[in-house]
Amino acid sequence: MTLKGYPALARIVLAGALAAGLAACSMGGGGQLSPGLSAPMNQPGAKLNRVEALFLLNDFRRAQGAADVRGDTVLDNTAQSLAAAYAKTGAQPALPPGAVVMRLSAGYTTFAEAFSGWRNVPTDAAAIADPTAKRAGLGVAYEPNSSHGVYWVLVLDD
């Protein structure tokens, strides 16, 4: 195997580990989620591990027969701005112009919890697996004085 093969192999191994961890969590198993997916966002300065979140999102999309989406910094910035406004006002933001899908959540401390919430609601699951989506952006904001604390935004675009 050449060095060129390692990144692809590493991605496959990481995706499998993330899928196994989430499956164990959803089935009540004792498997541990990676720190990037289970890191609490309910503290000032918490940073979402967007790479691991995108791996989990794409693993779910593949299981639903949809192609992977790629992370997009412009959509990340859009999602982050929407999450900050959502946290500050408590008002759900509108779908950004040109976006195909937006999913919102509030009150979940970790990405794994927020994603499980979306995955377990049929309309959210179908939206996340929208086959026209090609790019993804994620945002999370913590507002300690709000009713839900942590606010999540997922934006998918073509």
Side-chain angles (χ1 to χ4, degrees), residues 67-122:
D68 286 2
V69 291
R70 72 181 192 286
D72 183 286
T73 56
V74 172
L75 283 180
D76 278 343
N77 290 334
T78 298
Q80 189 60 48
S81 294
L82 292 170
Y86 186 20
K88 185 168 287 215
T89 66
Q92 293 185 350
L95 182 70
V100 207
V101 168
M102 179 173 68
R103 284 299 173 256
L104 308 171
S105 189
Y108 292 112
T109 304
T110 69
F111 181 74
E113 293 169 345
F115 187 79
S116 288
W118 289 327
R119 180 190 66 174
N120 291 323
V121 174

Side-chain angles (χ1 to χ4, degrees), residues 9-130:
L9 179 59
R11 288 181 57 157
I12 292 169
V13 169
L14 180 58
L18 293 173
L22 189 60
C25 179
S26 66
M27 295 183 324
Q32 292 285 347
L33 286 175
S34 73
L37 297 175
S38 59
M41 297 290 116
N42 62 344
Q43 49 199 337
K47 297 287 183 200
L48 174 64
N49 186 322
R50 294 177 191 288
V51 172
E52 288 189 22
L54 190 61
F55 273 124
L56 183 62
L57 173 67
N58 280 328
D59 187 57
F60 176 79
R61 286 179 56 83
R62 282 189 299 274
Q64 304 307 306
D68 286 2
V69 291
R70 72 181 192 286
D72 183 286
T73 56
V74 172
L75 283 180
D76 278 343
N77 290 334
T78 298
Q80 189 60 48
S81 294
L82 292 170
Y86 186 20
K88 185 168 287 215
T89 66
Q92 293 185 350
L95 182 70
V100 207
V101 168
M102 179 173 68
R103 284 299 173 256
L104 308 171
S105 189
Y108 292 112
T109 304
T110 69
F111 181 74
E113 293 169 345
F115 187 79
S116 288
W118 289 327
R119 180 190 66 174
N120 291 323
V121 174
T123 54
D124 288 343
I128 290 170
D130 185 312

Side-chain angles (χ1 to χ4, degrees), residues 2 38 45 67 95 116 127 135 142 150-151 155-156:
T2 66
S38 59
L95 182 70
S116 288
R135 300 178 297 133
Y142 171 57
V150 182
Y151 296 77
V155 178
L156 300 178

